[in-house]
């Protein structure tokens, strides 16, 4: 009965590979987000979808592509992974602009 | 432009003492203010928020925060710290009808027995 779930929890891969992270929420929220947390713990918003429509698209390399198949899911696909992509990626959801609830994170390590 | 400042990278408090984690903000309109906590290797957990009304907001785990409009602050407080409160605390702000939260850099809270 996890509210916001992400898979995988850990992802270790080689430079140049393509990988995806999946997020699902069962809170009935209409808005979902992807955040990147770097090694210094800074949180950076990457994308947000409201009712499957992209509403926040921050300055992020176009190697990162979000996809929202429905309101309960938001996936993040990353092409041609680079060393600097190593970070923890968090998914979150909210009802419109109300409180955001976070998933447990996906720790991505690029070798 | 919106911004949030958490002036202390780290706060050290003895167990049983009161704690304060500071947050100041800058927005052009009315602020919506949030505190989140992150335990090691975990996601962020919502603690409390201020939207409107009483300036003193009570949240989870015995935490509270006081909204001060004149000082544009939203400091997090707890009367008696527990070792288990040791974690990373984030303050965040957004304006009405704005989806995007602006996050502080985080404050590491260490509670010593």
């Amino acid at each position: 009965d996890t509210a916001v779930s992400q898979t995988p929890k850990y992802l270790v891969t080689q430079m140049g590979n393509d990988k995806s992270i999946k997020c699902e929420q069962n809170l009935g929220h209409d808005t979902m987000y992807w955040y990147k947390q770097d090694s210094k713990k800074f949180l950076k918003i990457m994308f947000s979808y409201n009712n499957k429509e992209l509403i926040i698209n921050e300055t992020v390399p176009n190697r990162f592509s979000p996809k929202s198949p429905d309101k309960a899911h938001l996936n993040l696909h990353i092409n041609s992974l680079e060393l600097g992509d190593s970070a923890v990626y968090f998914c979150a959801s909210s009802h419109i602009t109300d409180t955001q609830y976070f998933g447990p994170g996906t720790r991505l390590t690029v070798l | 432009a919106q911004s949030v400042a958490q002036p202390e990278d780290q706060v050290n408090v003895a167990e049983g003492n009161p704690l304060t984690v500071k947050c100041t903000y800058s927005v052009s309109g009315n602020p919506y203010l949030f505190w989140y906590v992150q335990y090691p290797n975990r996601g962020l957990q919502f603690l409390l928020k201020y939207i409107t009304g009483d300036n003193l907001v009570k949240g989870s785990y015995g935490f509270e925060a006081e909204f001060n409009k004149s000082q544009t602050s939203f400091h997090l407080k707890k009367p008696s710290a527990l070792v288990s409160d040791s974690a990373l605390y984030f303050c965040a702000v957004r304006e009405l009808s704005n989806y995007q939260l602006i996050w502080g850099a985080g404050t590491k809270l260490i509670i010593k027995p």
Side-chain angles (χ1 to χ4, degrees):
Chain A
D1 58 346
T2 304
V4 183
S5 59
Q6 296 178 227
T7 53
K9 188 170 175 62
Y10 299 97
L11 187 52
V12 181
T13 188
Q14 300 287 330
M15 272 197 310
N17 284 350
D18 303 338
K19 291 294 179 184
S20 292
I21 306 172
K22 296 185 177 182
C23 178
E24 177 180 2
Q25 55 95 4
N26 63 4
L27 297 168
H29 289 161
D30 52 17
T31 307
M32 297 184 73
Y33 310 79
W34 277 113
Y35 285 89
K36 179 180 180 180
Q37 186 175 44
D38 63 22
S39 58
K40 294 185 177 181
K41 306 298 185 183
F42 292 135
L43 275 169
K44 178 183 176 182
I45 182 72
M46 300 174 71
F47 305 103
S48 178
Y49 274 76
N50 173 257
N51 286 320
K52 302 198 300 177
E53 179 184 347
L54 184 64
I55 56 170
I56 296 175
N57 187 5
E58 289 294 293
T59 306
V60 174
N62 57 15
R63 298 180 295 102
F64 290 80
S65 54
K67 286 188 180 172
S68 181
D70 55 56
K71 286 196 303 183
H73 297 84
L74 180 62
N75 303 323
L76 183 65
H77 188 75
I78 316 170
N79 290 327
S80 303
L81 278 155
E82 300 178 356
L83 292 176
D85 297 332
S86 295
V88 180
Y89 293 84
F90 287 105
C91 176
S93 73
S94 69
H95 174 58
I96 317 178
T97 55
D98 204 350
T99 305
Q100 293 181 20
Y101 292 90
F102 283 75
T106 296
R107 183 175 295 275
L108 172 64
T109 303
V110 182
L111 303 175
Chain B
Q2 302 175 82
S3 65
V4 175
Q6 292 182 243
E8 301 151 319
D9 290 338
Q10 183 170 307
V11 171
N12 298 299
V13 178
E15 187 177 26
N17 282 0
L19 69 87
T20 299
V21 182
K22 295 180 180 178
C23 173
T24 59
Y25 66 90
S26 173
V27 297
S28 56
N30 291 324
Y32 285 10
L33 293 151
F34 300 81
W35 276 103
Y36 285 80
V37 60
Q38 184 178 25
Y39 297 101
N41 300 312
R42 303 284 295 275
L44 279 76
Q45 295 179 33
F46 168 70
L47 274 180
L48 51 80
K49 66 182 177 183
Y50 172 82
I51 303 298
T52 187
D54 194 346
N55 289 343
L56 186 64
V57 179
K58 294 189 183 297
S60 307
Y61 312 121
F63 282 94
E64 58 188 27
E66 186 167 12
F67 171 63
N68 187 317
K69 188 172 183 178
S70 62
Q71 297 186 5
T72 61
S73 67
F74 189 55
H75 300 331
L76 182 70
K77 300 182 180 185
K78 187 174 182 180
S80 178
L82 300 173
V83 172
S84 58
D85 292 330
S86 298
L88 186 59
Y89 290 79
F90 289 95
C91 180
V93 67
R94 67 169 178 82
E95 294 176 346
L96 180 67
S97 300
N98 190 334
Y99 286 93
Q100 187 164 345
L101 273 178
I102 305 301
W103 295 85
T107 298
K108 186 175 183 179
L109 177 63
I110 297 176
I111 309 300
K112 298 183 178 179

